[in-house]
Amino acid sequence: MTIARELRAIAQTGLAFTADGFDQQRYRRLRELAALLMAQGSSSEHASILELLRQEKGYATPKVDVRGAAFVDGRVLMVREISDGKWTLPGGWADVNQSAGECVVREIAEESGFEARALKLAAVYDYQRSGHPPHHIDSIYKMFFICEITGGEARASDETSEVAFFARNELPALSLGRATAAQIDRMFHHGGHPALATDFD
């Protein structure tokens, strides 16, 4: 999958910048081969993966996921995802025309009902290097913020079924594609030591 993602990025970037017809053919073929490798490494069909890759345009770059760790009385705010019934720090894909800090505050409000402000960028992790389940298509950077709750109240959403606070040694079953136990433990550490430098791969 690592090879397939890199081939996909080369093909997508090449198609974005070349005007030569022969090179365009080569890059389209490279994209097809990347889709074939991805299909072999997953349960998805080659045709459906190729169609997804064709929709991506421009210079290939990682997607950005933001997560917020907000603490009250030594417990961290978590939400239960409807999609898999497991728990995570509130967050999601970063949106266009918002800063990363604005995105994480919006995600906390949307998924938990709480208003918050971002205090610190605690970590930037590469998804593939952080113990998450394999993600077959995208390269992802995960940005974790320490946040402070400023208002609101617990409220489920279209994406989340429950909102609760958990102690460091009492974490529930986790939605591991979104946040791992090691990452959440690290956020507890950052929450207790505000002067720590930002973690990164």
Coordinates of all heavy atoms in Angstrom, one line a residue, residues 71 74-79 87 163-172 188:
F71 N -10.0 18.8 28.5 CA -10.0 18.2 29.8 C -10.9 18.9 30.8 O -10.8 20.1 30.9 CB -8.6 18.0 30.4 CG -7.7 17.2 29.5 CD1 -6.9 17.8 28.5 CD2 -7.6 15.8 29.6 CE1 -6.1 17.0 27.6 CE2 -6.8 15.1 28.8 CZ -6.1 15.7 27.8
G74 N -9.4 16.4 35.1 CA -8.5 15.3 34.8 C -9.1 14.2 33.9 O -8.5 13.2 33.7
R75 N -10.3 14.5 33.3 CA -10.9 13.6 32.4 C -11.0 14.2 31.0 O -11.2 15.4 30.9 CB -12.3 13.2 32.9 CG -12.2 12.5 34.2 CD -13.5 12.5 35.0 NE -14.5 11.7 34.4 CZ -14.7 10.4 34.7 NH1 -13.9 9.8 35.6 NH2 -15.7 9.7 34.1
V76 N -10.9 13.4 29.9 CA -10.8 13.9 28.6 C -12.2 13.7 27.9 O -12.9 12.7 28.1 CB -9.7 13.3 27.7 CG1 -10.0 11.8 27.4 CG2 -9.5 14.0 26.5
L77 N -12.6 14.7 27.1 CA -13.9 14.7 26.4 C -13.7 13.7 25.2 O -12.8 13.8 24.5 CB -14.2 16.1 25.9 CG -15.3 16.2 24.9 CD1 -16.7 15.9 25.6 CD2 -15.3 17.6 24.2
M78 N -14.7 12.8 25.1 CA -14.7 11.9 24.0 C -16.1 11.7 23.5 O -17.1 12.0 24.2 CB -14.2 10.5 24.5 CG -12.7 10.5 24.9 SD -12.0 8.9 25.3 CE -11.8 8.3 23.6
V79 N -16.2 11.3 22.2 CA -17.5 11.1 21.6 C -17.6 9.7 21.0 O -16.6 9.1 20.6 CB -17.8 12.1 20.4 CG1 -17.9 13.5 21.0 CG2 -16.7 12.1 19.4
W87 N -15.3 4.9 20.5 CA -15.1 6.3 21.0 C -13.8 6.9 20.5 O -12.9 6.2 20.1 CB -15.0 6.2 22.5 CG -16.3 5.8 23.2 CD1 -16.8 4.6 23.4 CD2 -17.2 6.7 23.8 NE1 -18.0 4.6 24.0 CE2 -18.3 6.0 24.3 CE3 -17.3 8.1 24.0 CZ2 -19.4 6.5 24.9 CZ3 -18.4 8.7 24.6 CH2 -19.4 7.9 25.1
V163 N -21.7 11.4 24.3 CA -20.6 12.4 24.7 C -20.3 12.1 26.2 O -21.3 12.0 27.0 CB -21.1 13.8 24.5 CG1 -19.9 14.8 24.9 CG2 -21.5 14.1 23.1
A164 N -19.1 11.9 26.5 CA -18.7 11.6 27.9 C -17.2 12.0 28.2 O -16.5 12.3 27.2 CB -18.9 10.2 28.2
F165 N -16.9 12.1 29.4 CA -15.5 12.3 29.8 C -14.9 11.1 30.5 O -15.6 10.4 31.2 CB -15.5 13.5 30.9 CG -15.8 14.8 30.3 CD1 -17.1 15.2 30.1 CD2 -14.8 15.7 29.8 CE1 -17.4 16.5 29.6 CE2 -15.1 16.9 29.3 CZ -16.4 17.3 29.1
F166 N -13.7 10.8 30.2 CA -13.0 9.6 30.6 C -11.7 9.9 31.3 O -10.9 10.7 30.8 CB -12.8 8.6 29.5 CG -14.1 8.1 28.9 CD1 -14.7 8.7 27.8 CD2 -14.7 6.9 29.4 CE1 -15.9 8.2 27.3 CE2 -15.9 6.4 28.9 CZ -16.5 7.1 27.9
A167 N -11.4 9.1 32.4 CA -10.1 9.2 33.0 C -9.0 8.5 32.2 O -9.3 7.7 31.3 CB -10.2 8.6 34.4
R168 N -7.8 8.8 32.4 CA -6.7 8.3 31.6 C -6.6 6.8 31.7 O -6.3 6.1 30.6 CB -5.4 8.9 32.2 CG -4.1 8.7 31.4 CD -3.0 9.4 32.0 NE -1.8 9.5 31.1 CZ -0.8 10.4 31.3 NH1 -0.8 11.1 32.4 NH2 0.2 10.4 30.4
N169 N -7.0 6.2 32.8 CA -6.9 4.7 32.9 C -8.2 4.0 32.7 O -8.4 2.8 33.0 CB -6.3 4.3 34.3 CG -7.1 4.8 35.4 OD1 -8.0 5.6 35.2 ND2 -6.8 4.3 36.6
E170 N -9.2 4.7 32.2 CA -10.5 4.2 32.0 C -11.1 4.4 30.6 O -12.3 4.6 30.4 CB -11.5 4.7 33.0 CG -11.1 4.4 34.5 CD -12.1 5.0 35.5 OE1 -12.8 5.9 35.1 OE2 -12.0 4.7 36.7
L171 N -10.2 4.4 29.6 CA -10.6 4.7 28.2 C -11.6 3.6 27.7 O -11.4 2.4 28.0 CB -9.4 4.8 27.3 CG -8.5 6.0 27.6 CD1 -7.4 5.9 26.5 CD2 -9.2 7.3 27.6
P172 N -12.6 3.9 27.0 CA -13.5 2.9 26.4 C -12.9 2.3 25.1 O -11.8 2.6 24.7 CB -14.7 3.8 26.1 CG -14.2 5.1 25.7 CD -13.0 5.3 26.7
F188 N -3.0 13.4 27.4 CA -3.1 13.6 28.8 C -1.7 14.2 29.3 O -1.7 15.1 30.2 CB -3.3 12.3 29.5 CG -4.8 12.0 29.7 CD1 -5.4 11.1 28.8 CD2 -5.5 12.5 30.8 CE1 -6.8 10.8 29.0 CE2 -6.9 12.2 31.0 CZ -7.5 11.3 30.1

